[in-house]
Each structure stands twice: as structure tokens, then as C-alpha cells.
Amino acid sequence: MKRLRHAAPALVLALGSTAIAQDAAPKIADCRAALIAETPTARPGTELSVGVRLVLAPGRHVYWKYPGDSGAAPVVDWKLPEGWVAGPIAWPTPHRLVQDGLVSYVYEGEVLLPVSLQVPAGAAAGDAILGATVHWVACSDEACTSGSDACQARVEIREDPPVADPAHAAAFAAARASLPKELPAGAATLEEFSGGIVLVVKGLEGSSAEFFPSDPLTLDETRPAVFDPTSPVALRIRLFPAPRRKEPVTRLRGVLVVHLDGSTASWTIDATTPERPPR
Amino acid sequence: MTRSLTLALSLSAALLAGCGSPENGNGNTTSPPAPQDNISAAAAPAFSLPDNTGKSHALADYRGKWVVLEWVNHGCPFVKKHYGSGNMQGLQKTYAGKGVVWLSICSSAPGKQGHQEPAGWTETLKSIGAAPTAMLLDVDGKVGRLYDAKTTPQMVVIDPQGAIVYGGAIDDRPTANSADIAGARNYVVEVLDAVLSGKPAPVTESKPYGCSVKY
């Protein structure tokens, strides 16, 4: 146990708070996971919207699908009844956090990660238990911890049209509102300039913008995107290649966040240079 | 041991979250960082640091030998992945047997995760069976910043002439889950096995993963 006292004081504290010090105030977990269903019932042969809700202790954050310089995104292992199929996590737009010169893409406070579950056509009427083991890494400026929470949600399988659970409606609405939207095909392209690349997006308006790449070693993420206000017909965002990168950036994937008059919208980007399609 | 600890934390979290009993799963859905072979060999910056016994080690002392630098923070889940499983200690012992100098470096600031006084370090190294050539204490973080160390773990391989031949992650599975060690492509093993048999490093840079260095 000696090693543990040095290696993992938070873990020992957590153990103590539940196993021994029942009368003391429990330690607030760095991250708490829960599984919630948008509707308390589900129809066979349709999709059921669920979400993994993560609640962070103050000062802690969890990571986006691409975490940035450090950290790792939460991972969900599904334990679903036979025939059910879980779709991918729809990642809400994170925010960029710079600590000690390191760039991270994170969620703080509380976040809902929506997932669509396919309910099999042959699902029998009655209760279905949905299981999700959520593996998370939560960090602050001072420390990182990790954990695995095994969560469950219960839904009733019935033919009636599902009605949203009012207790969770606001959380799902907020998560959907922060999901990146899809652009029309061909709306986003890349141009090169001497110091980097320009992401050009037709049909969008904005007064400032941020870009969160989803591939490592593409951009110098310490340099914020530079918004070029001169074009009236397209957004032009200057970005800078990763240090020591020799190959030009010919394809850029990630999320573009556009600010205009106090509102924010985000867009999924997969842009290439017209002359040089991806190999 | 690691499993029981994970269990303890998870239970506590689960009680608060209303979730059930935890299980150790293995669901790596993160895409691995692609290695990028376009860095030219750079001179390893000179440094000198005290170890946990107070002895000073300069990089120049090891000219003529292959040197591995390994950034550590034993509270970090990504470091625990590689020490709880014995992976890192195994590499230290294997390559010590091949004449490689292995310098573990902790750049955690006092009060932050991973920082320990020298006596605590001696106890920790013994209890986890770590076998680096030396455990170097970079309390003010200067050497970490000199090497642009971003994460724990983060690995650097230096040739006998003092040039960096590899910098980045230990392997291609950027998770905190020890189940991901089996089947991972271990860049440090690939690089050391190649260079020790006279071949060029098959990869020179990757994106490091782990906890941010707690400067």
C-alpha cells in the first residue's frame, strides 16, 4: 500500500470517504457519470435518444474526442439488450482551454454526450435495461484522475409514441444546440498562403471564429485562428501548420466555431485544397 | 492492485452518480495519433538535474550511450497505466540490459500531482519496482520546458552523439486503460530495437499523450 499513498492520494481519499468516514462530508467525485434516456418509453424498430451525462467537480474538465495536447476523451462501453445497436457519440462543441501553454478541448461543469440507440423491431414489450460503462479522465491544472462508472437506464418498450421526459428535456436541447452543424458539400475549401492556410467557408457570416482540429499534428494549436474580415461573401480564417511539419496541409478536419453578435454557431469542417485532393 | 483501486474510486463515484457496480471495460474508440516522420534530428539540449539521492546527473555524462528520457507523474492515470501493468518497469530493465541509460524525470511543481520530496521518491521507486538509471527531480520544470515536455508519459530517445532520434508518445494507444497495452504499437521499443541493431529509427516523432505535465 505504500506506493498507493504516493501514487494515488485522491483514490485513497475516495475509498476513505465511502468505506470509513461515513459521518464526514463525502469527497466530491472529480467526475460523475449517469445514463439518461430522452423518453421513458421506446418503440420497437425506432431510435431511442439517450445521453451520457458527466458532471464535473469545480475546476475539473473532461475532454473532447480530440483532446488536444493532453488528456483523453471519455470512452463508453455499452451493455445493451440483444439486438440493440449504439451509434457513435455526437460530440457537443467543446471549448478551448490553455493552461501552462498547453491547448486542450474540454467540457467543464456538466455535459451531455448524446447517442442514438437502435431499438430492434422485435423488442418485447416491458422494461429494457440499458447499461453503459463510462471510462473518464478528468483533469485540473493540478492533477488528473480517472474512473469507470457503470451506469444504467431503464426504459419501457411499448408501441405508443414516446413522450420526452421533462426532467431531461433541457439537457438534451442544450446538447443538440451545441452540436456542430453540417455545411453544404463544397462550402468549405482550403487555400495556401505564405505563412499557413486559409479556411474559406461560403455562405457564413461572423465577426470572429475559432477552429478546433480533429487530427493531431496538423495545426499549431497554440496560435488562435485569425479572422479575416475583408471578404463579404465568405468567411476566411487563417490557420498555421504544426511546428516542424514539412508537408503542406491539404486536408483539414475539425469544428469551426463562429461568433456573431453574441451568438455562436459551430460547423463540421472537412476541407481540402482544390488543386490537391487528399491522397 | 490497480484494479482494486480503480474499483474503489469508481464505487465512490458510482454511489454519488446513482450508477451501479463498475466494471473494467476495454473500449478504445480514440483514433491513434499518426506518427510523422518529418522531424530532422535535433541536438538534445544539455541539462543537469539532481536525482532522488541528491546526486547530480548531466546529459553530457552519458555521451557515448543511448539515452531514454521519460517524463513521469505517478498520480497520473496514463502513467499508472504503464506502471500498474509493469510495462514501463519492464522496458527499463530490458534496455538497461542492453546498455541503454534510462532517465526518468518528474517536472511536477511542489503542491501539484506527482511532486514528491526525495525521500518519498526513494520509497515510491522501491515499492513499484521502477528501475531507471536515475530518477531526476526537475522541481522548477526548467528541463521539462527545455524539451517541450507536454505530457506524462512522454518519451525522448537520444543517440550516443547527443542527437534526438525520437520524441513523443510511448505507444499508439492514447488511453488510460492498461488493457490497451497489449496490441499497441510501442514506438520506444521499435526505435530502440532498430537503432541498437544499427538501423535508422522507424519513427522519429509522434504526438505524446497523457496528463499535462503539472508545471
Side-chain angles (χ1 to χ4, degrees):
Chain A
M1 282 305 278
K2 276 178 182 169
R3 172 213 162 194
L4 304 179
R5 274 199 291 275
H6 292 292
L11 297 184
V12 174
L13 266 178
L15 179 66
S17 69
T18 53
I20 302 159
Q22 296 290 351
D23 52 345
K27 178 187 184 300
I28 298 172
D30 293 328
C31 175
R32 289 174 293 150
L35 178 64
I36 58 177
E38 186 169 22
T39 57
T41 67
R43 295 173 82 174
T46 66
E47 292 198 335
L48 170 68
S49 171
V50 299
V52 172
R53 182 165 59 196
L54 300 171
V55 180
L56 282 300
R60 299 274 166 173
H61 51 262
V62 289
Y63 295 86
W64 188 43
K65 61 179 179 179
Y66 169 65
D69 284 328
S70 65
V75 172
V76 181
D77 284 341
W78 293 98
K79 307 268 188 306
L80 300 174
E82 193 173 348
W84 290 59
V85 179
I89 292 172
W91 295 93
T93 303
H95 72 268
R96 183 174 179 266
L97 177 71
V98 182
Q99 280 180 335
D100 277 321
L102 300 187
V103 179
S104 299
Y105 305 100
V106 303
Y107 308 108
E108 294 172 294
E110 182 175 332
V111 65
L112 185 72
L113 306 177
V115 174
S116 191
L117 302 183
Q118 182 65 48
V119 186
D127 281 354
I129 306 294
L130 315 175
T133 302
V134 183
H135 308 277
W136 50 262
V137 173
C139 295
S140 67
D141 186 31
E142 284 79 29
C144 296
T145 55
S146 64
S148 301
D149 295 347
C151 305
Q152 283 190 345
R154 180 192 304 263
V155 293
E156 186 188 353
I157 305 298
R158 53 193 291 175
E159 286 293 344
D160 312 19
V163 177
D165 184 340
H168 302 316
F172 278 95
R176 291 215 175 90
S178 76
L179 293 179
K181 295 188 262 295
E182 297 299 318
L183 287 165
T189 52
L190 291 185
E191 294 174 7
E192 290 180 65
F193 75 103
S194 58
I197 51 175
V198 183
L199 172 64
V200 182
V201 187
K202 288 180 212 155
L204 290 189
E205 267 193 293
S207 52
S208 68
E210 302 170 89
F211 185 79
F212 306 154
S214 56
D215 295 309
L217 299 171
T218 309
L219 297 179
D220 181 351
E221 294 162 47
T222 63
R223 297 181 69 176
V226 176
F227 186 77
D228 176 354
T230 59
S231 170
V233 293
L235 285 187
R236 297 178 62 83
I237 319 290
R238 275 186 236 165
L239 301 161
F240 306 93
R244 299 189 301 273
R245 186 183 171 100
K246 287 180 182 167
E247 296 288 312
V249 176
T250 56
R251 184 180 189 184
L252 188 65
R253 294 188 295 182
V255 169
L256 175 69
V257 181
V258 180
H259 305 283
L260 177 66
D261 299 333
S263 70
T264 296
S266 58
W267 306 87
T268 301
I269 298 294
D270 184 353
T272 54
T273 47
E275 315 90 299
R276 276 187 269 198
R279 284 164 294 177
Chain B
M1 197 52 119
T2 303
R3 184 184 163 89
S4 68
L5 271 181
T6 308
L7 220 59
L9 176 66
S10 306
L11 270 176
S12 131
L15 286 172
L16 289 162
C19 295
S21 65
E23 294 166 42
N24 267 350
N26 172 21
N28 174 29
T29 58
T30 317
S31 40
Q36 192 177 319
D37 300 64
N38 60 11
I39 183 179
S40 46
F47 66 83
S48 179
L49 284 173
D51 69 14
N52 55 302
T53 68
K55 188 185 168 199
S56 182
H57 297 256
L59 180 62
D61 297 344
Y62 300 110
R63 195 51 82 88
K65 296 188 170 188
W66 288 94
V67 176
V68 173
L69 308 182
E70 173 216 355
W71 265 266
V72 298
N73 156 6
H74 284 290
C76 165
F78 299 87
V79 173
K80 288 185 200 171
K81 167 187 175 182
H82 291 286
Y83 276 94
S85 59
N87 187 40
M88 196 69 82
Q89 302 94 314
L91 297 180
Q92 291 163 350
K93 286 166 191 163
T94 297
Y95 291 105
K98 299 181 180 184
V100 174
V101 172
W102 191 294
L103 303 175
S104 299
I105 301 175
C106 181
S107 299
S108 293
K112 293 196 179 179
Q113 190 180 41
H115 174 80
Q116 289 189 85
E117 295 304 317
W121 271 112
T122 303
E123 201 176 320
T124 296
L125 295 173
K126 190 179 167 196
S127 61
I128 64 179
T133 308
M135 177 65 235
L136 304 183
L137 310 186
D138 180 32
V139 175
D140 59 14
K142 279 186 184 160
V143 174
R145 295 198 186 279
L146 192 60
Y147 277 81
D148 196 22
K150 292 185 161 116
T151 64
T152 55
Q154 183 162 333
M155 314 300 293
V156 176
V157 179
I158 301 169
D159 76 12
Q161 290 74 46
I164 294 175
V165 301
Y166 174 75
I170 180 168
D171 64 25
D172 67 348
R173 301 293 290 275
T175 73
N177 189 344
S178 58
D180 289 332
I181 291 173
R185 178 182 171 197
N186 190 305
Y187 297 132
V188 174
V189 167
E190 283 191 17
V191 168
L192 287 176
D193 288 351
V195 299
L196 290 173
S197 57
K199 295 175 194 144
V203 48
T204 57
E205 184 185 21
S206 66
K207 180 182 181 294
Y209 74 86
C211 302
S212 60
V213 175
K214 305 303 179 192
Y215 288 114

